[in-house]
Amino acid sequence: MNPDKVQERKEIVLRGIGASPGIAIGTAVILKKHGVVVEEKVAEPSQEMERLQKSIDRSAYELQKIYRTAVDKLGSEKAGIFEAQLLMISDPIFFSGVKKRIDGEKKNVEFIVSDEFSKQADQLRKSDNELFRQRAYEIEDVKNRILRNLTEAKLKSKFDGKSIVVTSDLTPADAVLLSRNEVLGYTSDFGGARSHASILSRSLGIPAVVGLKEITKHIEDGMKVVLDGYHGVVVINPSEETARKYEEKKKWCDQLDSELITEAGQPALTTDGRRVFVEANLELLEELPLLKSHGADGIGLFRTEPLIIDADSIPDEETQFQTFKKAVVEAAPDSVVFRTFDIGGDKLFIGDHDEPNPFLGWRGIRMMLDRPDMLKEQFRAILRASAFGKSKIMYPMVASIEEVVKANAILEESKASLDSEGIAFDRDIEVGVMIEIPSAALMSREIASHVKFLSIGTNDLTQYLLAVDRTNDLVANVFDEFHPSVIRTVKHIIDSGHDAGVKVAMCGEMAGNPLATVMLLGLGLDEFSGVVSTLPVLKKIIRATNYKSARKFARQLLKLDSSDDVKKALVEYLKTRFERIYHTTISEEYVE
Ligand code: PEP
Ligand code: MG
């Protein structure tokens, strides 16, 4: 491509999802993956069987290679997804179905393989659950690998120079394989921040922006690209001024990141001596090694439902126990708050019921109380883990005191059953409740008298207070944690918890938003629990803040009657006191 021509082109700014933080400036390399066109043909079964076997052998060999690289770079826990792909590729039941069809229908293997895999993937894509939809990508990845090997098409996996990879959808295998090149960043049309590929990008330390919808349409090989993984922005053909701005920003960010990580081990103590706790929200065991390096004071929310998603079924007590034990051992001497399964809503469903209004349906603790055996089993797993490190139990989606009382009674039954078997557990294990439904927020004083702590779930609390579906793009602009009603409710919950003599934490996304930190501190929050990468920033802000001033500031914010005014005041505060943090971490939706 003629470089002058590239230079003449207009700057294009695209916005997607910041999947892995960091800034990268480099040259686009397009990774084309879907070149295999599958046609339906009549074919001789014995030949097709032979071709299928060859392709499977080759695909398994490639995946073994990727698996070994992943183990080296990421450790065996994270490399597990490639083990899962290897299992898919050697699943005897699936392939005996494929072979039967080849024999019976006398069609080409490409057509049958593609059809069978696509059926599975389509089924998962229809799910309301993001993690299931992500699994569909992995099935597609395995399908494409087998098809490529059938047609002997090669996937480009070696690049020259410093590249930013642009692709329709980044798979976990791409993320690992391409990291062996000098890849500076990843961008893709599809994908979410919670996909395995995004998680691996974060672990590999490669900035990524996903969900850009049409980046592959706008870009050509060799174009200059800027990628801002903090804010989910990609600039194609940046002007000289834009490129300079991002180069400068990259220098700041890298420096700030390393400074904040070095200080992250210090306690979250305000300048006038108020100690709060900054903890991690965790969904995957892979994130455990980041706890200490990012200064986490333990795990404030261990979401347990991903265990069901990973296993495709409800994991038994022993499996849950082994997982929980790993977490408590790694977090020691700090504690881990295990939240009982929060099934339903936008998460997974069990059984084959169909709910017209899942967010108002069979969710969280109400569902678990209808399945006491499942709850009992989970309690036993958590209690057994509590013998190995400090554990706490938390109930999600509580709407009334009766639910807390019933769950506590089942917990006592689990304790008694362990006692009768002579199995050790922490007798003083603390129980807490998530406050994320308006009725529970109003009753938080009474609820607090039945438990040892409260934890505010602002994701659902905002959804229910403002009557806005947290997953619906059309109303994303209405979903607003800074709405005065949310802030006043948060204040009410904190005060109610304190009146009852219990600590109040927050584990909704708001707790990890640096824009909210001073306000939450001033409202009296005791514990912040957010995604692990944000913890060093939160600690920095808290350590540089005077608690008395934060309280005064929070009182002023509570008087404001519009979210815009609240955000304006908070942006101004951060900009004047923490300019570097403001420029690097604050999402542009607040800045503009
Ligand atoms: C919340 O609702 O704020 C929360 C932390 O729970 P989840 O996002 O898992 O529903
Ligand atoms: Mg919730």
Side-chain angles (χ1 to χ4, degrees):
M1 171 170 299
N2 177 351
D4 295 336
K5 210 161 168 231
V6 172
Q7 210 52 48
E8 277 166 24
R9 288 174 194 249
K10 242 181 75 204
E11 177 175 293
I12 303 172
V13 180
L14 299 174
R15 285 171 204 279
I17 300 162
S20 176
I23 288 175
I25 302 164
T27 308
V29 173
I30 319 253
L31 183 69
K32 288 201 186 85
K33 296 194 293 181
H34 301 299
V36 183
V37 179
V38 175
E39 285 173 43
E40 185 178 350
K41 293 184 204 157
V42 177
E44 163 57 41
S46 65
Q47 265 177 21
E48 295 306 285
M49 299 286 195
E50 208 177 294
R51 290 180 62 224
L52 175 65
Q53 197 53 51
K54 250 169 110 178
S55 166
I56 289 173
D57 291 348
R58 174 78 207 163
S59 303
Y61 168 78
E62 288 172 358
L63 275 170
Q64 291 279 7
K65 232 165 74 180
I66 294 169
Y67 176 62
R68 280 195 299 272
T69 308
V71 170
D72 283 353
K73 289 196 168 198
L74 302 159
S76 51
E77 196 97 51
K78 274 192 193 134
I81 45 170
F82 302 112
E83 228 178 351
Q85 289 202 358
L86 271 164
L87 282 178
M88 255 186 238
I89 241 164
S90 53
D91 177 3
I93 298 173
F94 179 79
F95 282 101
S96 84
V98 168
K99 282 174 185 161
K100 237 189 230 147
R101 279 191 62 187
I102 293 176
D103 238 354
E105 295 174 30
K106 307 209 174 350
K107 289 203 180 125
N108 56 327
V109 60
E110 286 90 339
F111 173 74
I112 307 266
V113 163
S114 174
D115 191 47
E116 285 292 316
F117 273 106
S118 299
K119 267 198 269 182
Q120 278 196 14
D122 287 347
Q123 200 64 29
L124 290 168
R125 255 193 295 268
K126 276 187 216 140
S127 164
D128 289 329
N129 180 278
E130 193 196 329
L131 287 172
F132 279 180
R133 291 199 299 271
Q134 290 303 335
R135 183 159 294 179
Y137 283 124
E138 280 170 43
I139 291 179
E140 288 286 347
D141 197 27
V142 171
K143 177 185 96 176
N144 286 327
R145 185 173 300 283
I146 297 177
L147 291 178
R148 266 199 313 273
N149 284 322
L150 277 168
T151 55
E152 292 176 13
K154 285 270 168 287
L155 181 66
K156 185 171 178 175
S157 68
K158 284 207 172 61
F159 303 136
D160 299 325
K162 308 205 163 188
S163 329
I164 292 185
V165 175
V166 182
T167 179
S168 55
D169 57 337
L170 185 77
T171 66
D174 298 335
V176 171
L177 255 190
L178 299 172
S179 70
R180 294 189 300 191
N181 299 263
E182 277 190 284
V183 169
L184 298 176
Y186 296 136
T187 66
S188 61
D189 288 334
F190 303 107
R194 289 178 66 212
S195 72
H196 279 304
S198 298
I199 292 164
L200 291 181
S201 308
R202 289 199 280 279
S203 303
L204 292 160
I206 298 177
V209 179
V210 300
L212 284 153
K213 298 198 173 82
E214 296 199 319
I215 186 161
T216 47
K217 282 199 187 142
H218 290 284
I219 210 159
E220 288 175 29
D221 265 324
M223 281 182 169
K224 189 163 180 176
V225 183
V226 168
L227 180 158
D228 179 349
Y230 294 104
H231 300 129
V233 173
V234 170
V235 186
I236 304 171
N237 288 317
S239 65
E240 271 182 33
E241 197 195 330
T242 305
R244 211 176 22 249
K245 185 183 104 186
Y246 275 102
E247 263 152 26
E248 220 164 274
K249 197 167 170 183
K250 179 172 163 42
K251 257 192 248 154
W252 289 348
C253 295
D254 291 351
Q255 207 183 331
L256 182 65
D257 263 359
S258 57
E259 278 174 34
L260 292 181
I261 296 258
T262 357
E263 296 172 12
Q266 296 177 35
L269 192 67
T270 64
T271 55
D272 50 347
R274 171 159 165 85
R275 172 80 203 262
V276 293
F277 294 85
V278 172
E279 296 159 17
N281 284 356
L282 197 119
E283 299 199 24
L284 300 151
L285 289 180
E286 286 92 337
E287 293 170 282
L288 284 175
L290 301 177
L291 290 180
K292 299 290 178 212
S293 62
H294 286 66
D297 300 316
I299 299 174
L301 169 62
F302 188 107
R303 288 183 169 100
T304 58
E305 49 289 349
L307 293 180
I308 306 178
I309 296 162
D310 287 346
D312 258 348
S313 60
I314 309 288
D316 61 15
E317 179 186 315
E318 184 60 24
T319 311
Q320 292 189 54
F321 160 64
Q322 292 297 346
T323 309
F324 301 160
K325 183 176 154 192
K326 278 189 198 146
V328 295
V329 168
E330 192 78 30
D334 299 311
S335 56
V336 180
V337 178
F338 292 105
R339 182 175 74 181
T340 55
F341 291 136
D342 187 6
I343 297 170
D346 63 330
K347 298 175 183 141
L348 75 163
F349 294 93
I350 57 168
D352 39 13
H353 64 288
D354 197 8
E355 293 185 69
N357 247 325
F359 276 119
L360 305 179
W362 205 46
R363 254 201 93 170
I365 199 69
R366 54 182 78 156
M367 185 242 132
M368 289 294 270
L369 288 173
D370 288 345
R371 296 284 175 95
D373 289 344
M374 212 163 115
L375 186 56
K376 225 180 273 176
E377 197 170 70
Q378 185 162 49
F379 280 150
R380 281 176 56 101
I382 301 172
L383 287 166
R384 284 171 61 193
S386 73
F388 296 86
K390 187 116 182 72
S391 314
K392 298 181 185 182
I393 296 174
M394 181 158 76
Y395 308 147
M397 295 297 296
V398 164
S400 65
I401 288 185
E402 287 81 353
E403 288 165 341
V404 181
V405 172
K406 276 187 200 155
N408 282 347
I410 295 174
L411 177 62
E412 289 312 311
E413 285 175 30
S414 300
K415 287 181 182 173
S417 73
L418 288 176
D419 262 340
S420 69
E421 292 165 37
I423 298 173
F425 62 91
D426 174 10
R427 289 181 182 279
D428 300 320
I429 193 162
E430 291 183 6
V431 173
V433 159
M434 282 200 68
I435 304 292
E436 50 186 343
I437 295 183
S439 61
L442 284 168
M443 299 289 288
S444 45
R445 170 72 183 78
E446 289 79 359
I447 289 176
S449 64
H450 291 266
V451 291
K452 286 281 191 293
F453 65 94
L454 304 178
S455 187
I456 307 171
T458 45
N459 309 340
D460 279 311
L461 187 61
T462 307
Q463 155 165 274
Y464 297 121
L465 272 177
L466 304 186
V468 54
D469 179 343
R470 63 192 261 189
T471 62
N472 184 343
D473 288 354
L474 289 175
V475 286
N477 59 335
V478 187
F479 188 96
D480 187 356
E481 296 154 333
F482 293 94
H483 192 289
S485 66
V486 177
I487 298 168
R488 291 174 196 191
T489 306
V490 166
K491 159 91 173 129
H492 174 74
I493 300 165
I494 295 173
D495 289 349
S496 304
H498 289 171
D499 281 353
V502 305
K503 294 246 185 264
V504 182
M506 179 182 284
C507 60
E509 293 303 305
M510 187 181 208
N513 185 346
L515 193 61
T517 311
V518 65
M519 177 180 74
L520 298 176
L521 188 67
L523 291 174
L525 193 70
D526 302 297
E527 296 170 15
F528 296 67
S529 194
V531 283
V532 72
S533 58
T534 69
L535 306 186
V537 179
L538 303 188
K539 280 186 133 180
K540 173 85 184 173
I541 295 174
I542 292 164
R543 284 205 316 279
T545 303
N546 179 285
Y547 179 54
K548 267 202 213 100
S549 313
R551 282 199 81 83
K552 203 168 144 203
F553 185 39
R555 276 198 295 274
Q556 287 163 7
L557 293 171
L558 282 167
K559 287 187 196 139
L560 301 175
D561 58 10
S562 93
S563 152
D564 282 350
D565 288 344
V566 173
K567 284 186 273 195
K568 219 160 55 198
L570 287 169
V571 165
E572 191 54 31
Y573 180 91
L574 206 70
K575 200 169 169 183
T576 48
R577 288 170 182 77
F578 301 94
E579 204 192 345
R580 292 169 70 206
I581 292 177
Y582 164 80
H583 280 297
T584 50
T585 57
I586 296 302
S587 161
E588 305 217 341
E589 73 184 275
Y590 300 119
V591 176
E592 279 165 3

